[in-house]
Amino acid sequence: ISLTGIFDPADKRYSEAEEFRQVHAADPDAQRVVELAKGIEGLKRQWGVHAAGVIMSSDPLIDIIPIMRRPQDGAVITQFDYPTSEGLGLIKMDFLGLRNLTILDDALENIVMNGKEPVVLEDLELTDRATYELLGRGDTLGVFQLDGGGMRSLLRLMRPDNFEDISAVGALYRPGPMGANSHTNYALRKTGAQQVTPIHPELEEPLAEILGTTYGLIVYQEQVMAIAQRVAGYSLGQADILRRAMGKKKKSELDKQFEGFSGGMIERGFSMAAVQTLWDILLPFSDYAFNKAHSAAYGVISYWTAYLKANYPTEYMAALLTSVRDDKDKSALYLGECRHMGITVLPPDVNSSAANFTAVGTDIRFGLTAVRNVGANVVDAIVRSREEKGEFASFTDFLDKVPAVVCNKRTIESLIKAGAFDSLGHPRRALLLVHEQAVDAVIGVKRKEAEGQFDLFADVFGGDDDPGFAVAIPDLPDWDKKQRLAFEREMLGLYVSDHPLSGIEHVLAAAADVSIATLMADEHRPDGSTVVIAGLITSLQRKMSKQGNPWAAVTIEDMEGAVEIMFFGETYLAYSTVLAEDAVVVVRGRVRRRDETMQLQAMEVSLPDVSVTADSPVVVSMAVARCTPPLVERLREVLSTHPGVTEVHLRLTQPGRATVMRLDDGLRVERSPSLFGDLKALLGPSCLAS
């Protein structure tokens, strides 16, 4: 409500402001504040600049509109907003930067660097079978526009097999079409699970060509225009005016358009019932209609990224990891995807790593710039030394060959902890013990070299290839797995060579409703909804409120992401004894959205049985009454899209008894969060029996 509306009995929300008016009447300070506020209400607080919008003209802009130079960066911007600028006959276009184009470029470069024939994306046919199989499995994590969990479920339901499907899914997976269930209807009609029904019997034949490729559904703005041309005799220009009028929802304009639209249809022999039915479908659709030119153009990028992931997985995933190297959560998500795809991601290595992630055969090598305290100048110096002087044979050989800028104790310590010297045959623990001594020794030699003080007798005592210093590396056992991974995580922000949860992923997936990464990416999950997640406690901060009540902030991670969970009041007191770093827990919590970030507020905690072995069967529980042929067939489809080596047991329940049967070997599966997610979506959250 506006400030003037608070005091205006004619305002529709006047009655809600009674308490405000009482405070205003009783408090002179409040009266002064309100009077001051009325003076600035409605004024622009600041200018806003579109990140990608560019105003263009055939004449100098300064002759047409006022422009200014933005103080902070000198950018020239218009002093009118874009609708006003367009009203003066100027053109506004958005030039959007797309990270995925860089990913494509890097992937193509990786293909050549990995010894394979170069790929020209523009020459690809849009019919690659492996690409459509990947889309049909929903293995589209990291694929442009098709990356989200809900989108991946839709792709599995749809099973796309041509480019038209890729274009359509991009237009349909949006709030408007999803609200009308058009996305699901499209998928079901495509697979034959739902009959294709015409909008109206009279319109079946006239609209067959326009709606044929989209199974009788209106998906694109261009279809609205084509329908108006086909059944109401509109010209292309008139059809575009109709499309805009529908989008603006002005009643006077719509009444005028309906008159012309219905007149045109009746003139061509259609009944008023057909006219009204079509109009009632077109009108709400115009709110969210997508234009096919946009959807198809994005669809090409989606296809290219899916093609590279399907046919050049190592090279593509290396490019993808490089693009998110500064985002810990995304990096963890895509590292988890690499594990799922069977791609080994190797720790950084001074002898084979470049600055970025690189494809090495069927493996991916971590880039050196990802290591904490290792800057781009250090990486350039290491790579240059390796290229000019040959691979490093030992730790001392490395220190001898690299320039002084690399010989920094903090830098060397970080490289050791990250595992960058593992290929040289020294235990990380032993190198950490002697690295300071070694750096002190080599820096002295390098300073003398820089000053021109060379040993005249070097050839006599050891030759040019011997370093001018020596350090003894002790023969010690390396750290245990927990310590190695802790240091790795400290330096890289991630677990790379292994993960503390390796081997029990299936236990966590069965216990949780959703993976943490999927939860954090779900923008539509409502505030206050409950969810169950499972993972490892990696951070625990016990605190005290101002009232003297204890509480805790806990970070929990699974193989793909992390989330902060708050423990307050009775919940904290009930579970404080089980909260400990490195504990594996299952938490049921309530979603809390604060400042565009998601947290959970804990409600319950349990400890999963992590003794379940990876080769134990997947047990699917289902009531006998639900065991109908259509549901069984759908279950078979879900299981067959996750092929693997693990047996599946079906537990059929009825009051007082349960029967367990082993499914045939042809339906063995791979344990994965996506399998468990699909099973829960089909049969309910409690279908995975323990």
Side-chain angles (χ1 to χ4, degrees), residues 516 533-538 554-558 561-563 565 585 587:
I516 293 174
I533 60 99
L536 182 78
I537 296 179
T538 56
V554 178
T555 301
I556 293 182
E557 296 187 17
D558 60 13
V563 64
I565 304 182
V585 294
V587 180

Side-chain angles (χ1 to χ4, degrees), residues 445-501:
V445 173
K446 291 187 185 294
R447 282 188 187 135
K448 288 179 182 178
E449 288 178 353
E451 294 165 2
Q453 297 179 19
F454 298 102
D455 189 348
L456 296 174
F457 302 101
D459 286 342
V460 178
F461 300 103
D464 289 339
D465 293 334
D466 286 348
F469 72 100
V471 60
I473 299 172
D475 185 14
L476 292 173
D478 209 347
W479 298 305
D480 59 20
K481 172 182 170 179
K482 181 179 176 182
Q483 184 66 67
R484 281 169 62 92
L485 289 177
F487 280 141
E488 222 172 74
R489 179 183 173 78
E490 179 190 349
M491 291 302 112
L492 300 171
L494 304 157
Y495 297 113
V496 180
S497 61
D498 204 344
H499 195 286
L501 298 178

Side-chain angles (χ1 to χ4, degrees), residues 391-466:
E391 287 197 351
F392 310 115
S394 65
F395 182 59
T396 50
D397 184 46
F398 170 84
L399 293 176
D400 183 51
K401 286 178 176 175
V402 296
V405 67
V406 180
C407 299
N408 172 289
K409 291 177 184 176
R410 197 174 177 196
T411 298
I412 299 300
E413 178 185 347
S414 298
L415 289 169
I416 292 169
K417 287 181 175 179
F421 295 110
D422 287 1
S423 64
L424 303 182
H426 310 298
R428 299 182 192 182
R429 181 183 172 197
L431 289 182
L432 197 64
L433 280 174
V434 302
H435 81 281
E436 291 190 1
Q437 173 193 344
V439 170
D440 286 338
V442 77
I443 282 295
V445 173
K446 291 187 185 294
R447 282 188 187 135
K448 288 179 182 178
E449 288 178 353
E451 294 165 2
Q453 297 179 19
F454 298 102
D455 189 348
L456 296 174
F457 302 101
D459 286 342
V460 178
F461 300 103
D464 289 339
D465 293 334
D466 286 348

